[in-house]
Amino acid sequence: QAPIKATCEDMSCKTGFPEDVHSAVVSRSVHGGQPLLNVRFRSCDGNKKIHFGSSEPEDFRVGEDGVVYAERSFQLSAEPTEFVVSAQDKETQQEWQMRVKLTPEPAFTGASEKDQRKIEEIIFPWQQYKHSSPLKRQKRDWVIPPINLPENSKGPFPQELVRIRSDRDKSLSLRYSVTGPGADQPPTGIFIINPISGQLSVTKPLDREQIASFHLRAHAVDVNGNQVENPIDIVINVIDMNDNRPEFLHQVWNGTVPEGSKPGTYVMTVTAIDADDPNAQNGMLRYRILSQAPSSPSPNMFTINNETGDIITVAAGLDREKVQQYTLIIQATDMEGNPTYGLSNTATAVIAVTDVNDNPPEFTAMTFYGEVPENRVDVIVANLTVTDKDQPHTPAWNALYRMTGGDPTGRFTILTDPNSNDGLVTVVKPIDFETNRMFVLTVAAENQVPLAKGIQHPPQSTATVSITVIDVNESPYFVPNPKLVRQEEGLLAGSMLTTFTAQDPDRYMQQTSLRYSKLSDPANWLKIDPVNGQITTTAVLDRESIYVQNNMYNATFLASDNGIPPMSGTGTLQIYLLDINDNAPQVHPKEATTCETMQPNAINITAVDPDIDPNAGPFAFELPDTPASIKRNWTIVRISGDHAQLSLRIRFLEAGIYDVPIVITDSGNPHASSTSLLKVKVCQCDLNGDCTDVDRIVGAGLGTGAIIAILLCIIILLILVLMFVVWMKRRDKERQAKQLLIDPEDDVRDNILKYDEEGGGEEDQDYDLSQLQQPDTVEPDAIKPVGIRRLDERPIHAEPQYPVRSAAPHPGDIGDFINEGLKAADNDPTAPPYDSLLVFDYEGSGSTAGSLSSLNSSSSGGEQDYDYLNDWGPRFKKLADMYGGGDD
């Protein structure tokens, strides 16, 4: 093929696609997500945000970087595929379009690498035609055949592929470059081009399993960077080599097949994949079975489809009871299974033979035996055991039991033990020994699922079960229970009411007669004879008792035998009490209030009778003849069968509390009547008819509950006041004790002040410090040492009353409080220091110091005026008497 030369005119910068039609060569088989080509868009303003679109969005997608991807997998037709790529400015909405033409690459003819490399130059295309002078250039489509490059090439690298040049390189200094994935886009650096010579080279071995083809675009620019030729697309196909072994999706495959399956039954499918080209022999796999274990009943029980990997049975005789599992070694080989050139790999197929119901359950014995005590339910009387060769705990192994005869009343059922598959014969209805002493049951066992077709065994197995009933001591029972007795109330104590007896169901046991006793008698009205069950009354029967509900009184009695073990039964006696007219009606309410004038003054009252019809209402209401003031002041009118109205007959009745007797008579036969007192408070009323008296509540009287509540409140209030007074007194004592307490640091009697030692004889240092303690702490005379001691003690006088400071004093009262406290302390003879004779300890003799008596005052005492001592208070009274007051 002769190179085609093209000339290119200078172009100024213009936003848009650099060409109207972009042609590219791609492989015929396109996979979803495969990059096909790279469209270039020139933007004079680099800040524009361009959005790319495709006219065939279901087939092609354009990324933001201009790379065109396949949306789905499809085969290109022999004719070129065309579609339009659009670019739109997101801000100005301006749109540009370019037509893209995809041409399928020609079929690979198997030419040698040397033949392929005959295309040594790719020259930018151009065409001239004579239309007018001078010559003009016309753009046209140009398809560059793809470059086929085998993978895993050993080099040397970089390996030259092709030279790209323009015929304008004779007049201009050009620079060549390539762009696209593998060049300036990831993975970068695989393909390089000499910018001067245009020599395109590959830098390292290629791997088809990673990237099957590269789509590059070649460019030619002058030294100023101006484009002198339209870019051309270069497709580099990586030729597949058989460098990958088949790999099974799973190393161990698990499948199942029912036992007894016919030849040709599908079992499972194993699948292997090859990373090599699946459309070439390198990726075409074939399967075969290498071995089968175990080899019984035939070494070739299975076969495999060499292309699809489907495993099917080829022989009969699969029996789970003999062989439960087969292990096959499967081999996958590429190169269409060529053992010489193909690569192989193996996997394991584990085929489990599943169970079908080809073995029915069989009883281990023809007859089973059991026994059950009478009247017992939910007890297991016999275990039925079966054998089944099928797989345990499957529907083909699980047994179902049913009774085919011997139990017409349905007293037994058979449950299946899920662990042992045994049949558990269970009693579900009580059995009476006196009626049935033995049962002979016929049972059958079968599986949950029916037997498989072609099995010659019967579908079920049968056996008999012999059950013996054991006689036990049964409880006696009352007949009837409960027993209903109708009796009028008022039956006197000691009257015979009825006879309530029980029966013993044990006819074949030797035991004495039954004994009776009372179990429940809420009102304690009855007693029962322990031998014959005769019931008599111990009190009068009263229908109006709180123990009677709806005219019915219930009592429970007990009947006991002397069997082993003793048994007892209970019976209920129901006494329906018929009403008699034994209760007179009473007025309700007992208290009422009315006004002292006639209007409004009506009082509504109700008659209450514990009896029931016909011994109750309608009632008759009337006022007694005596005293005469009742009918003179009051009148009563019946407004219904149970209600009446009481009102004043006179115009005015003085306010107060009146007892109004009312005679009420019921409708019984004979009639019963009573005179009930109605306490009526007559008071002054307002326009609304409400009492306005001050003593309204007192006059009406308080109920017992209200009086008790008031008394409790008063008692609680008194207790609180007493507790408060005690607390205040205790607080006053603590405050006085704190005022009289002297700070120990201020008490000179209890402190020994040690000054610097000034000498003196050793005899001067021999003194008893115990004598310098406070008088309160001096030990009793019985334990003190003999000698001279202090005699000053606290005199016994009445405690003075010091003033008490209030909790929150006024600032002006503080001075008064201090003065009163000082005055009380001055007049307190019990406050220290005590005004008594003080005797100090003997200080020894022979001191080298002189006598203090030789020291004289500079002036005689007679010249001093001691009258001011009288102003110092009681504590200095004795000094004032000794020195003051003249010669006395």
Side-chain angles (χ1 to χ4, degrees):
Q1 178 178 350
I4 299 177
K5 299 182 180 180
T7 60
C8 186
E9 62 184 7
D10 297 334
M11 300 177 62
S12 60
C13 180
K14 183 179 180 181
T15 300
F17 291 105
E19 50 194 351
D20 297 332
V21 179
H22 183 84
S23 299
V25 178
V26 297
S27 61
R28 291 182 179 272
S29 298
V30 178
H31 304 286
Q34 174 184 346
L36 301 178
L37 59 121
N38 188 4
V39 296
R40 292 183 60 84
F41 182 86
R42 179 185 293 118
S43 176
C44 297
D45 184 4
N47 296 329
K48 286 184 178 295
K49 296 182 179 179
I50 305 299
H51 173 71
F52 294 98
S54 170
S55 63
E56 304 292 338
E58 65 277 3
D59 294 332
F60 304 100
R61 172 178 58 87
V62 186
E64 295 294 334
D65 54 355
V67 179
V68 180
Y69 298 90
E71 276 292 291
R72 60 184 182 87
S73 299
F74 59 92
Q75 294 285 337
L76 288 177
S77 62
E79 299 296 328
T81 301
E82 296 186 3
F83 62 96
V84 176
V85 174
S86 61
Q88 185 179 27
D89 191 339
K90 294 183 179 180
E91 297 180 356
T92 64
Q93 303 300 320
Q94 186 178 0
E95 185 173 299
W96 300 267
Q97 291 185 347
M98 181 184 68
R99 186 162 53 91
V100 177
K101 179 183 293 186
L102 298 180
T103 303
E105 63 183 5
F108 177 61
T109 60
S112 63
E113 182 179 350
K114 182 177 180 180
D115 295 335
Q116 299 175 38
R117 294 179 60 84
K118 288 181 180 180
I119 303 178
E120 296 180 354
E121 286 189 353
I122 298 177
I123 301 180
F124 286 89
W126 69 280
Q127 181 182 11
Q128 66 180 6
Y129 59 95
K130 188 175 182 181
H131 178 67
S132 62
S133 183
L135 295 177
K136 293 185 179 180
R137 188 163 56 91
Q138 176 189 7
K139 294 181 182 180
R140 67 186 182 96
D141 297 339
W142 180 256
V143 178
I144 304 299
I147 300 173
N148 296 317
L149 184 63
E151 65 173 335
N152 302 325
S153 175
K154 296 183 180 180
F157 297 100
Q159 178 181 345
E160 297 179 355
L161 300 181
V162 71
R163 182 186 177 201
I164 301 172
R165 75 178 187 84
S166 172
D167 59 349
R168 300 190 63 181
D169 60 355
K170 296 178 181 180
S171 60
L172 296 175
S173 177
L174 303 182
R175 296 293 183 268
Y176 300 96
S177 63
V178 290
T179 60
D184 62 341
Q185 299 178 17
T188 59
I190 296 179
F191 299 98
I192 59 175
I193 189 172
N194 190 311
I196 304 299
S197 64
Q199 183 67 48
L200 180 66
S201 305
V202 61
T203 61
K204 60 182 179 179
L206 303 181
D207 188 355
R208 192 205 67 84
E209 286 70 41
Q210 293 184 358
I211 302 177
S213 63
F214 295 88
H215 298 263
L216 305 178
R217 174 165 288 191
H219 308 270
V221 298
D222 59 15
V223 293
N224 295 324
N226 298 320
Q227 178 178 319
V228 297
E229 300 284 359
N230 287 333
I232 59 174
D233 292 322
I234 301 175
V235 177
I236 301 174
N237 293 327
V238 182
I239 302 174
D240 184 42
M241 307 295 289
N242 191 18
D243 57 344
N244 291 280
R245 289 182 178 274
E247 295 290 340
F248 283 90
L249 296 181
H250 305 287
Q251 194 59 35
V252 178
W253 296 78
N254 295 290
T256 60
V257 60
E259 62 176 332
S261 297
K262 296 179 180 180
T265 302
Y266 171 80
V267 179
M268 61 188 301
T269 299
V270 295
T271 304
I273 58 174
D274 196 318
D276 293 325
D277 189 358
N279 299 318
Q281 289 185 343
N282 298 336
M284 296 182 180
L285 306 181
R286 297 295 182 266
Y287 301 92
R288 70 190 185 100
I289 298 176
L290 297 181
S291 64
Q292 168 191 311
S295 58
S296 63
S298 171
N300 298 313
M301 297 294 295
F302 305 93
T303 186
I304 188 171
N305 187 310
N306 64 347
E307 292 186 2
T308 63
D310 295 342
I311 300 176
I312 59 176
T313 61
V314 294
L318 291 173
D319 189 353
R320 191 204 65 85
E321 286 73 36
K322 295 180 179 179
V323 179
Q324 299 182 0
Q325 180 177 289
Y326 290 91
T327 302
L328 307 180
I329 303 300
I330 310 297
Q331 183 186 61
T333 307
D334 58 14
M335 297 296 290
E336 296 183 313
N338 190 319
T340 303
Y341 303 103
L343 301 178
S344 302
N345 212 336
T346 60
T348 303
V350 178
I351 301 174
V353 181
T354 59
D355 186 37
V356 298
N357 192 14
D358 56 349
N359 296 281
E362 297 180 0
F363 283 103
T364 58
M366 296 301 297
T367 304
F368 297 88
Y369 299 93
E371 59 182 21
V372 57
E374 63 173 333
N375 300 322
R376 295 285 299 277
V377 294
D378 297 331
V379 294
I380 299 174
V381 298
N383 276 23
L384 310 181
T385 56
V386 296
T387 58
D388 195 320
K389 297 179 181 179
D390 292 322
Q391 184 177 359
H393 306 292
T394 61
W397 178 81
N398 295 334
L400 296 178
Y401 299 89
R402 58 187 177 88
M403 279 178 290
T404 59
D407 185 23
T409 57
R411 298 183 181 275
F412 300 93
T413 187
I414 304 178
L415 305 176
T416 302
D417 188 330
N419 296 321
S420 63
N421 212 27
D422 293 346
L424 309 178
V425 182
T426 307
V427 181
V428 294
K429 293 182 180 179
I431 302 174
D432 188 7
F433 174 81
E434 286 72 23
T435 305
N436 297 293
R437 299 188 181 185
M438 178 174 287
F439 290 88
V440 178
L441 309 177
T442 303
V443 297
E446 57 187 1
N447 293 125
Q448 288 182 348
V449 295
L451 288 176
K453 295 181 179 180
I455 304 301
Q456 303 300 325
H457 300 284
Q460 65 182 16
S461 177
T462 59
T464 58
V465 183
S466 179
I467 300 175
T468 302
V469 182
I470 303 173
D471 189 18
V472 297
N473 186 25
E474 299 177 79
S475 300
Y477 59 93
F478 285 87
V479 179
N481 189 18
K483 183 176 182 179
L484 178 63
V485 176
R486 299 175 67 88
Q487 176 64 47
E488 281 190 354
E489 66 173 327
L491 184 64
L492 299 179
S495 302
M496 200 279 287
L497 183 62
T498 186
T499 300
F500 197 22
T501 58
Q503 298 179 7
D504 194 338
D506 297 314
R507 298 195 300 268
Y508 301 98
M509 286 189 174
Q510 299 295 330
Q511 53 190 13
T512 60
S513 59
L514 302 178
R515 304 288 293 181
Y516 301 95
S517 60
K518 185 171 64 172
L519 187 62
S520 173
D521 182 12
N524 199 22
W525 286 345
L526 308 173
K527 70 176 181 177
I528 187 170
D529 188 280
V531 177
N532 57 24
Q534 189 178 48
I535 299 176
T536 57
T537 60
T538 59
V540 178
L541 304 184
D542 186 8
R543 191 198 66 82
E544 290 74 32
S545 171
I546 60 174
Y547 302 105
V548 178
Q549 302 294 331
N550 298 325
N551 303 329
M552 191 74 70
Y553 180 76
N554 294 324
T556 306
F557 298 92
L558 185 71
S560 306
D561 62 17
N562 62 343
I564 300 175
M567 302 299 292
S568 61
T570 60
T572 301
L573 179 64
Q574 294 181 335
I575 306 174
Y576 188 86
L577 295 175
L578 303 175
D579 186 39
I580 63 175
N581 196 11
D582 57 344
N583 293 281
Q586 300 291 327
V587 68
H588 181 79
K590 297 292 186 180
E591 298 176 357
T593 303
T594 186
C595 298
E596 58 186 2
T597 60
M598 293 182 62
Q599 297 295 336
N601 64 349
I603 301 173
N604 292 327
I605 60 175
T606 303
V608 179
D609 194 334
D611 294 327
I612 59 176
D613 290 336
N615 298 319
F619 300 96
F621 300 86
E622 59 180 347
L623 297 176
D625 295 332
T626 58
S629 61
I630 298 300
K631 285 190 174 182
R632 184 175 64 253
N633 297 336
W634 304 93
T635 180
I636 188 168
V637 179
R638 190 177 77 170
I639 59 177
S640 66
D642 298 337
H643 305 282
Q645 274 190 348
L646 179 68
S647 58
L648 285 175
R649 179 185 293 273
I650 59 179
R651 293 181 177 274
F652 177 81
L653 183 63
E654 185 179 358
I657 297 176
Y658 298 86
D659 290 333
V660 180
I662 300 175
V663 179
I664 306 176
T665 306
D666 60 21
S667 299
N669 187 15
H671 300 297
S673 63
S674 66
T675 301
S676 300
L677 287 179
L678 176 64
K679 186 180 292 295
V680 181
K681 177 193 175 185
V682 179
C683 60
Q684 298 177 359
C685 298
D686 55 16
L687 296 178
N688 297 325
D690 298 329
C691 281
T692 58
D693 295 353
V694 177
D695 58 342
R696 173 181 175 184
I697 298 179
V698 178
L702 295 175
T704 304
I707 295 176
I708 293 175
I710 294 174
L711 292 177
L712 288 176
C713 293
I714 294 174
I715 293 173
I716 292 173
L717 182 62
L718 292 176
I719 292 174
L720 292 176
V721 172
L722 181 61
M723 292 176 63
F724 180 76
V725 172
V726 172
W727 176 77
M728 289 297 296
K729 288 186 176 181
R730 185 175 180 181
R731 182 181 175 187
D732 292 342
K733 288 185 178 180
E734 291 178 355
R735 181 178 298 176
Q736 293 177 4
K738 289 181 180 179
Q739 291 177 351
L740 295 177
L741 184 63
I742 297 177
D743 191 353
E745 295 181 0
D746 298 333
D747 189 1
V748 297
R749 296 170 303 166
D750 199 28
N751 291 283
I752 299 176
L753 304 180
K754 185 179 184 227
Y755 297 94
D756 291 340
E757 189 171 326
E758 297 180 353
E762 294 180 354
E763 296 179 359
D764 292 342
Q765 300 179 9
D766 187 11
Y767 46 81
D768 185 9
L769 294 178
S770 63
Q771 304 302 323
L772 300 179
Q773 297 178 353
Q774 291 187 11
D776 292 342
T777 61
V778 176
E779 298 178 354
D781 295 341
I783 60 175
K784 286 185 178 181
V786 179
I788 301 174
R789 61 183 178 86
R790 295 179 59 171
L791 298 180
D792 54 325
E793 295 179 353
R794 182 175 180 175
I796 299 176
H797 294 284
E799 294 287 340
Q801 295 297 326
Y802 284 82
V804 179
R805 184 181 179 184
S806 61
H810 188 274
D813 298 336
I814 297 178
D816 297 338
F817 172 80
I818 294 175
N819 293 330
E820 292 176 3
L822 179 60
K823 183 177 180 180
D826 291 339
N827 296 324
D828 184 9
T830 62
Y834 309 122
D835 192 7
S836 60
L837 178 63
L838 303 181
V839 179
F840 297 94
D841 198 359
Y842 178 64
E843 297 182 356
S845 60
S847 174
T848 57
S851 175
L852 293 177
S853 60
S854 59
L855 298 178
N856 294 323
S857 176
S858 58
S859 60
S860 63
E863 299 175 356
Q864 294 290 338
D865 184 7
Y866 294 102
D867 292 337
Y868 61 88
L869 293 177
N870 293 319
D871 300 332
W872 285 12
R875 298 188 181 186
F876 297 90
K877 185 175 183 304
K878 190 173 291 294
L879 289 177
D881 294 340
M882 294 174 60
Y883 293 95
D887 296 337
D888 295 337

